[in-house]
Amino acid sequence: MKQRVITALCLLAVLALVVWQIDTPVLVIVIAFLSAVATGEIMRCANVQNMFIKISGIIFSALTPFFASAKVMEPWIESDLWGTIIGFIPNVVFIIALCLLFLLAMLKGYAYTSFEDVTVSVFASVAVPFGFSIFIRLRDMFDNMQFGVYLIFYALICALATDTGAQLTGMAIGKHKMAPNISPKKTVEGAVGGLVVSFIFTSVALVLYNKLALVPLDKSMATVLLICCIPVSFMGMMGDLSASVLKRNFDVKDFGKIFPGHGGVMDRLDSSLFTLPCTYAIALITQNIF
């Protein structure tokens, strides 16, 4: 417990630094690091032995967040210049090149590289960093950066509040198993409690945002976000269960050990990698409506 508390305090200190510098490249550097570590964790758990694939995938994952937005390097590099650089070659070209590179590496190292290794590595090197890159995309997609930052916390609250609420409620009144073959400790009562806690915290965060923000949300947007809180939080639970399935398939307890007492990056942010894309989808849809 002592180790978990110390690690949690260190993580809170890092989070405070990132929030303080959230409008600078410090955010993308932290996201790039987390993305690379998460990719490495998945490939390690999947026992991918081809070092070329592992190193290439981790590098690709670390670079992906830098292509998330033209504003990503401000104020160090102007958005017009960086936008020209990252827009010179479409992102899909890099993904195609990575897939072909992995397949060629499989042919060269066929004795110890399977097609399953390639598919896992493509997922870890492309899908996972894209999920992390949504931190950057949300921050930069609106003229009002405050709203973009709020959406980041909206996604994190939907993930963390649901997880905490489900755990506490399940411990208190949980009786009916939700997914006994995947995660025996999760209960239906805990899941409902998690959704309720998430809705409460999201509502409080919304009220605080409207009191402190320079441009408060109108009633229509606030209503949409409150309604969407429930399905987004539910997807966060599905992200947690999906991570549990992966760990069972890989026969590991934790994805990593970078956070002593808490596991790896994927152990801490598995739910967020589901709530972030959902929040991004909501933002894209509402951007053209409101």
Side-chain angles (χ1 to χ4, degrees):
M1 179 59 70
K2 180 181 178 181
Q3 188 180 52
R4 288 177 63 88
V5 172
I6 293 174
T7 301
L9 291 175
C10 292
L11 290 175
L12 287 174
V14 173
L15 178 62
L17 174 63
V18 172
V19 172
W20 177 44
Q21 295 291 314
I22 201 165
D23 59 342
T24 73
V26 170
L27 175 64
V28 73
I29 291 172
V30 172
I31 296 302
F33 172 76
L34 294 175
S35 179
V37 173
T39 297
E41 288 175 350
I42 293 174
M43 289 195 284
R44 181 190 62 82
C45 291
N47 198 29
V48 176
Q49 298 182 20
N50 191 309
M51 290 304 298
F52 179 82
I53 289 179
K54 291 177 69 173
I55 294 173
S56 300
I58 290 172
I59 292 174
F60 187 91
S61 180
L63 293 176
T64 297
F66 290 92
F67 288 77
S69 166
K71 301 177 184 178
V72 76
M73 295 302 292
E74 286 186 336
W76 298 353
I77 302 176
E78 292 294 328
S79 60
D80 291 340
L81 175 58
W82 190 249
T84 301
I85 293 172
I86 66 176
F88 184 73
I89 300 175
N91 291 344
V92 69
V93 173
F94 295 107
I95 296 174
I96 293 171
L98 182 75
C99 292
L100 294 175
L101 198 64
F102 281 1
L103 289 171
L104 291 175
M106 178 186 70
L107 295 177
K108 187 176 186 301
Y110 67 92
Y112 53 89
T113 307
S114 66
F115 181 69
E116 286 77 9
D117 292 338
V118 172
T119 55
V120 168
S121 300
V122 169
F123 170 80
S125 305
V126 177
V128 171
F130 174 79
F132 279 105
S133 296
I134 292 175
F135 281 104
I136 314 298
R137 295 175 185 272
L138 287 174
R139 185 197 67 176
D140 294 343
M141 71 182 296
F142 297 96
D143 293 333
N144 178 14
M145 182 180 287
Q146 281 188 330
F147 180 53
V149 173
Y150 165 73
L151 288 178
I152 292 174
F153 282 97
Y154 174 87
L156 293 177
I157 289 171
C158 285
L160 300 178
T162 303
D163 184 53
T164 303
Q167 184 177 12
L168 295 177
T169 306
M171 291 171 60
I173 60 173
K175 293 181 180 180
H176 301 88
K177 302 295 183 181
M178 185 172 70
N181 294 327
I182 299 175
S183 185
K185 294 183 179 180
K186 288 181 170 55
T187 63
V188 174
E189 293 82 1
V192 174
L195 295 177
V196 172
V197 170
S198 177
F199 183 82
I200 293 172
F201 273 79
T202 302
S203 302
V204 172
L206 180 59
V207 171
L208 290 176
Y209 176 80
N210 275 349
K211 287 184 176 296
L212 300 175
L214 296 176
V215 182
L217 297 178
D218 58 38
K219 290 184 179 180
S220 299
M221 190 64 198
T223 302
V224 168
L225 290 175
L226 282 177
I227 293 174
C228 289
C229 161
I230 299 301
V232 171
S233 298
F234 175 78
M235 289 307 299
M237 286 193 290
M238 295 304 101
D240 189 32
L241 286 174
S242 297
S244 297
V245 170
L246 287 178
K247 286 188 282 189
R248 284 185 177 274
N249 289 341
F250 296 149
D251 194 24
V252 296
K253 181 181 179 182
D254 295 315
F255 279 104
K257 299 179 180 179
I258 191 171
F259 303 133
H262 291 265
V265 172
M266 285 296 298
D267 294 295
R268 292 299 89 202
L269 295 174
D270 48 8
S271 299
S272 301
L273 287 178
F274 274 59
T275 60
L276 281 165
C278 290
T279 302
Y280 184 52
I282 294 168
L284 287 173
I285 294 170
T286 56
Q287 189 178 34
N288 298 321
I289 297 176
F290 300 107

